[in-house]
């Protein structure tokens, strides 16, 4: 455990200087759980969000034994957590970071975790997208927001465009910025109410993507 904590601090120390600016940290609620919805510029978005929120986590979440959960593709553990330094940072280093696969059961679980005071991070585009136009939003974030009636925090991530191994390696040391938007929320709905009125999901998803587009300074891909 000592090795992993030391490894974590090494990686944190390397990553933290690359986070040049965080705007809007005061928008994150200190007294309740919340849902973070963010654009997905590159592989380092989860890392940089974790680094940006670390002081907040230490002060407001850790004393209450609350965690920050990241929702990702079920293959995330194979593709992302296979890297030792990322695994150390997101799981052992902060020791209160969790991972949830992007499936229906996790959406319900996420709503419950938020209601208990935890934070959940989701990327509604469903994958990396360095383009100036957001991908069409998936509805998982809206499901969580509606089931929990929680505070929603939009985040715009600004960093390098990474694709290949070389770009990814260089991207680790590239400058990164985060813009944290003002919170908003929806009236809570039961799963039965959501299933009976799919239009609620569409409207909620559209609003979530509008808020992300605003802080990420991107356009929206909407039919």
């Amino acid at each position: 455990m000592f090795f992993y904590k030391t490894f974590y601090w090494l990686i944190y120390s390397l990553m933290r200087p690359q986070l040049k600016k965080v705007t809007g940290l005061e928008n994150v609620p200190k007294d309740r759980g919340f849902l973070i919805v963010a654009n997905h510029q590159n592989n380092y978005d989860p890392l940089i969000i974790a680094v940006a929120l670390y002081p907040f986590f230490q002060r407001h979440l850790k004393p209450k034994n609350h965690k920050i959960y990241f929702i990702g593709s079920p293959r995330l553990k194979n593709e992302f957590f296979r890297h030792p330094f990322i695994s150390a940072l997101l799981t052992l280093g902060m020791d209160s970071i969790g991972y949830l696969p992007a499936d229906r059961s996790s959406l319900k679980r996420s709503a419950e975790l938020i209601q208990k005071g935890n934070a959940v991070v989701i990327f509604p585009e469903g994958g990396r997208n360095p383009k100036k136009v957001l991908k069409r939003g998936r509805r998982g974030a809206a499901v969580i927001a509606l089931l929990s009636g929680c505070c929603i925090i939009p985040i715009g991530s600004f960093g390098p465009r990474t694709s290949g191994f070389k770009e990814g390696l260089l991207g680790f040391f590239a400058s990164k910025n985060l813009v944290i938007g003002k919170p908003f929320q929806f009236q809570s709905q039961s799963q039965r109410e959501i299933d009976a009125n799919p239009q609620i999901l569409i409207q909620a998803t559209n609003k979530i993507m509008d808020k992300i587009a605003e802080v990420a300074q991107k356009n929206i891909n909407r039919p």
Side-chain angles (χ1 to χ4, degrees):
M1 182 61 71
F2 175 77
F3 168 77
Y4 283 110
K5 286 186 177 293
T6 302
F7 199 26
Y8 158 73
W9 281 111
L10 173 62
I11 299 303
Y12 179 84
S13 298
L14 289 173
M15 176 64 78
R16 182 62 186 86
Q18 317 315 321
L19 180 58
K20 300 302 182 182
K21 187 176 182 181
V22 179
T23 304
L25 192 57
E26 68 278 3
N27 292 326
V28 183
K30 303 175 178 63
D31 57 350
R32 51 182 167 153
F34 53 90
L35 175 67
I36 287 179
V37 292
N39 68 303
H40 205 346
Q41 184 81 3
N42 58 68
N43 282 335
Y44 297 106
D45 292 324
L47 275 173
I48 208 65
I49 290 174
V51 169
L53 291 180
Y54 181 70
F56 177 92
F57 160 79
Q58 287 285 82
R59 184 172 182 179
H60 300 289
L61 296 181
K62 187 175 181 178
K64 301 175 183 177
N65 292 320
H66 292 155
K67 296 185 178 183
I68 302 176
Y69 291 86
F70 285 81
I71 295 181
S73 165
R75 65 177 182 272
L76 184 64
K77 285 187 175 180
N78 293 328
E79 294 184 350
F80 197 63
F81 281 77
R82 66 181 177 181
H83 301 291
F85 71 92
I86 294 179
S87 179
L89 179 60
L90 291 183
T91 59
L92 295 174
M94 290 178 76
D95 70 24
S96 285
I97 290 290
Y99 163 76
L100 295 169
D103 56 32
R104 189 179 180 88
S105 62
S106 288
L107 300 181
K108 181 180 179 181
R109 172 67 173 152
S110 296
E112 294 171 347
L113 288 168
I114 291 172
Q115 290 174 329
K116 293 178 180 178
N118 299 282
V120 172
V121 182
I122 189 171
F123 301 94
E125 291 179 277
R128 297 184 300 276
N129 176 25
K131 298 180 180 179
K132 290 296 292 181
V133 178
L134 293 176
K135 293 180 180 179
R136 186 175 179 179
R138 299 189 179 184
R139 299 179 183 180
V143 171
I144 298 171
L146 289 168
L147 287 177
S148 64
C150 68
C151 181
I152 309 164
I153 309 296
I155 283 186
S157 177
F158 300 85
R161 299 183 179 186
T162 59
S163 55
F165 175 79
K166 182 178 180 180
E167 290 180 354
L169 183 61
L170 295 176
F172 181 86
F173 298 98
S175 296
K176 304 169 184 70
N177 301 310
L178 282 185
V179 176
I180 304 174
K182 293 186 179 299
F184 65 102
Q185 64 187 92
F186 305 118
Q187 182 177 351
S188 62
Q189 306 278 337
S190 68
Q191 187 63 62
R192 180 176 297 180
E193 290 172 319
I194 294 172
D195 293 339
N197 187 3
Q199 192 64 30
I200 296 177
L201 266 184
I202 295 174
Q203 293 172 352
T205 300
N206 287 344
K207 183 170 183 178
I208 287 171
M209 298 311 293
D210 286 342
K211 294 293 186 179
I212 295 175
E214 182 179 341
V215 293
Q217 299 177 12
K218 291 195 174 189
N219 297 318
I220 301 174
N221 183 6
R222 185 176 298 159

